Every structure is written in C-alpha cells, then in structure tokens.
Amino acid sequence: MTLKRLGEFGLISRIRARLKYRSGQTLLGIGDDCAVYKPAQGKRQIVTSDALTEDVHFKKNLIPPARLGYKALAVNVSDIAAMGGTPRLALLTLGIPANCPLPYLNKMLDGFLDACAQFKVELVGGDTVSSPKNLFISVTLIGDVSKDRLFTRKGARPGDGIFVTGSLGNSALGLKLLTGEKTAWKGSKKDIKFLIDAHLSPIPRLKESGALSRSKAKITSMLDLSDGLAGDLAHICQAGGVGARLCEDRLPRSPAFTNICAANKLSSDDLILGGGEDYELLFTSPPKDAKKISGLFRKAGSPVSHIGEITARPGEIVWVRSNGRESILPRSQGYDHFKS
Ligand code: ADP
Ligand code: MG
C-alpha cells in the first residue's frame, strides 16, 4: 500500500481507527465538519498550537518517526502545563509530500497516538493536505484550567524567587551530540543517550504543574522553557515590567550534562542560558512560599531549584557568576524564524 493508493480519506480513516484514548467530553470526534465537546464546568478553556516543519524543527534522518509523533504532542502538552492546565483534546494537521512512505507515516502516527494515550488526550480532528516538499505537523491542543489557578507570564513581583524544574541544557547538548559537528564525542554511552533522549523525547512537566495548581503556593508567573533560560526569563521580566538576578552556581545541571561538557571542554553556560527545548517549568513565587514549593516537589519526587530573584529593574537580567562577578545579560538570545 502507498499513500497515493490510500488517499486522503483512506489515511484519515486509518487515523480514526487507531485512536487509543477517548475522552468523556467528546460528543463528536473525527468524521464531521467539526468536533463537538462539552467543556468541564467551572473551568477556563485554554488552547495552544505548535508546528514542526521538516528541515526547520527536525531532520528526518536525525529523529525516528515515532519520536517525532510523540514530540509533536509533547511540546503542546508542555504549553498547557505551563499555564497550570490539563490537556484534553487535540487537532492534528499534516502536510505530507506525496512520496512520503506509508510505513514512515504509520510510525509517526503511532508515536503521536501513544502520546495521546499517555497524556489522556483525544484526537478529535484535523486536516490532511499535500505539501510540495517538506513534511509538516501542526498540533492544536485544547485543555482546561481552574479559574483561580491560571498561571501566566505576567505577574512576577520584585523579591519573588525564581524557580525551575528538572535540569537545564540537556536538550541543546543532546542536539549538538546528534548533529555530530564533532565526530568523536568523548563520554559514556549512557550519558550520551540521556542527553539525546532529552532532545528527542522531552517529558512535559504535567505532573509538576498539576501539583503546583493543587497547592496553596502563590505562583506569580510561569512559562515553559522552549527558547532557552535567558530568553524565556526575559519574557517573564517583560510581561511583569521587572528584572531578575540569576545565580550561576544555583542552576541545575544533570550529571550527564556535567560529564559531557567536561569531557569535551564545552562551555556549559552558553548551553544553559541559550539552549532551547528543555520544556522545564520556570516560575516565580513570593519568598514566604519557598518552603511550600520545596516540600511540594519533594513529595512529588521531582527536582526543583531556586535559581534567583526578581528585581525592580525593568528588563535587566543580572548574571551572578560562581566567582562573584556580575554582568548584565544581553537581551533576547532566542531563535527567531524570520531573523535567524
Ligand atoms: P472538511 O473538508 O469538512 O474540512 P476534511 O475532509 O478535511 O473535512 O476532514 C474530514 C474529517 O477528518 C474531519 O472531521 C477532520 O477533522 C478529520 N481529519 C482530517 N485530517 C485529520 C488528521 N490528520 N487527524 C485527525 N483528524 C483529521
Ligand atoms: Mg479540510
């Protein structure tokens, strides 16, 4: 069987037949002009969209198709988690070159639908079109959030602590290892695999976001790290009209990250400050709640680090080195699709 013989509608019915998770909210799923669902009572609906384009976000030879499907959903789940929400329903839009092998598509869909089951998301629709050259995958995700526990980028106040989940720079280093700018990377197989996995199969911090949402801790702002710590913290500062102090020696590094940076003489600061796609949560909270937050994460068995403080100097991020030297970070180091 080929895509040509199967056709658009054949492919859609295959997708529909392979759904592994159904939501109680859905009244009408794939197959009509629109999907119909019943929003949960007393909640706010939230919606987000992220696309992956071949040769921009991924190279077919570097990411296996099942992981690509997983990642397309996972990065959207991370956006829902970043607001304190729960993901519910997904729309999947595929732009497919006519010569794309069917087994490749099937594996990609497997990865996507497995991820839907993992995160309890029902695929309720989408669009399937041809694309002249490159594959693209666009996912729209609908979720909901408690009215009084909606976390946005705006709201950080001077004196608030800055917190981050997990560890930083793993994905950026994993990508470096994958693209093999250097042929013989030094380091253990286990460390290299950990970093590459962090890049190919990021784990959105849904559990942690849920724990924050259910807690009584005041969260003044939150986002997920997709552009790198410096750029994403700048978003929080900009939205709140505040600044920040970041302490180098408090930034969380995984053992694998530390080992591989040391073995290959890589500058870990650049990877941590500018490296994208960690999908960790970055949030701020007043000092009185710092204990609540550390207790909460201890209970959840998940790491969190207090990495700095919000200041009253709009837009200024001060970088405090381990040796005590201070400098002001240059503005936005994030990736811009039309400038880079
Ligand atoms: P229309 O022409 O009315 O927009 P389509 O023929 O594009 O409808 O799609 C038919 C049905 O299949 C719709 O319910 C649509 O949401 C669904 N669908 C199309 N592509 C996908 C996809 N890639 N994943 C899931 N559902 C899809
Ligand atoms: Mg259509």
Side-chain angles (χ1 to χ4, degrees):
M1 182 54 82
T2 63
L3 185 57
K4 250 196 167 124
R5 286 188 56 193
L6 187 63
E8 175 189 340
F9 299 103
L11 182 62
I12 294 171
S13 40
R14 278 204 175 185
I15 294 175
R16 188 181 178 187
R18 290 163 75 162
L19 294 200
K20 294 171 189 172
Y21 178 81
R22 304 277 185 160
S23 151
Q25 282 183 293
T26 308
L27 304 174
L28 206 50
I30 295 174
D32 215 309
D33 290 311
C34 294
V36 183
Y37 72 99
K38 203 168 51 205
Q41 269 196 346
K43 301 259 178 163
R44 291 280 182 258
Q45 303 293 298
I46 55 178
V47 61
T48 183
S49 183
D50 250 320
L52 298 177
T53 307
E54 182 183 350
D55 294 336
V56 178
H57 301 94
F58 68 93
K59 300 235 185 281
K60 262 191 181 150
N61 60 337
L62 293 183
I63 183 164
R67 287 189 176 216
L68 178 63
Y70 166 89
K71 190 167 175 177
L73 186 72
V75 298
N76 282 280
V77 170
S78 179
D79 280 324
I80 296 280
M83 309 286 284
T86 306
R88 304 287 184 192
L89 310 171
L91 298 165
L92 172 65
T93 294
L94 297 172
I96 313 172
N99 63 359
C100 184
L102 208 50
Y104 181 94
L105 274 183
N106 283 334
K107 284 183 197 136
M108 196 271 286
L109 287 166
D110 272 339
F112 183 84
L113 294 172
D114 283 345
C116 285
Q118 181 181 340
F119 299 115
K120 298 196 165 58
V121 167
E122 178 172 339
L123 177 63
V124 293
D127 205 6
T128 305
V129 298
S130 68
S131 166
K133 189 166 163 282
N134 289 349
L135 179 66
F136 77 81
I137 307 166
S138 167
V139 176
T140 299
L141 191 55
I142 298 170
D144 53 38
V145 60
S146 301
K147 265 188 233 169
D148 49 348
R149 295 301 272 167
L150 172 70
F151 307 137
T152 65
R153 296 177 175 195
K154 184 175 170 180
R157 303 307 312 148
D160 285 355
I162 304 169
F163 296 85
V164 71
T165 59
S167 55
L168 300 170
N170 298 322
S171 176
L173 184 51
L175 178 62
K176 221 176 172 55
L177 296 173
L178 259 181
T179 46
E181 285 164 24
K182 219 167 125 186
T183 39
W185 290 102
K186 295 195 191 86
S188 77
K189 273 213 175 89
K190 187 167 153 256
D191 285 345
I192 290 176
K193 179 175 184 305
F194 172 87
L195 297 167
I196 289 179
D197 281 349
H199 180 73
L200 294 182
S201 311
I203 300 171
R205 295 289 185 179
L206 196 55
K207 185 182 76 172
E208 293 77 1
S209 158
L212 283 173
S213 165
R214 286 186 301 274
S215 80
K216 296 221 159 56
K218 184 165 180 171
I219 307 301
T220 50
S221 69
M222 184 152 92
L223 51 63
D224 68 322
L225 290 178
S226 52
D227 294 342
L229 179 62
D232 285 324
L233 180 57
H235 290 144
I236 283 184
C237 290
Q238 204 168 22
V242 293
R245 282 172 73 81
L246 262 188
C247 304
E248 182 182 26
D249 57 11
R250 294 204 222 159
L251 298 184
R253 298 144 202 265
S254 65
F257 179 87
T258 305
N259 293 342
I260 298 291
C261 282
N264 297 280
K265 299 199 170 62
L266 295 170
S267 154
S268 63
D269 288 356
D270 292 349
L271 286 164
I272 284 191
L273 290 173
E277 297 207 90
D278 276 322
Y279 299 107
E280 296 294 348
L281 297 173
L282 180 72
F283 60 96
T284 57
S285 179
K288 68 171 177 59
D289 284 346
K291 272 215 180 94
K292 255 184 222 158
I293 286 167
S294 51
L296 182 88
F297 276 84
R298 205 175 315 117
K299 233 170 118 189
S302 188
V304 71
S305 307
H306 181 176
I307 59 172
E309 262 69 42
I310 294 293
T311 68
R313 304 177 69 92
E316 187 186 275
I317 301 179
V318 177
W319 173 234
V320 185
R321 305 291 299 255
S322 307
N323 62 15
R325 288 220 185 109
E326 295 188 3
S327 57
I328 294 173
L329 287 183
R331 273 173 198 253
S332 181
Q333 306 176 333
Y335 180 77
D336 184 312
H337 277 262
F338 301 104
K339 287 186 184 163
S340 306

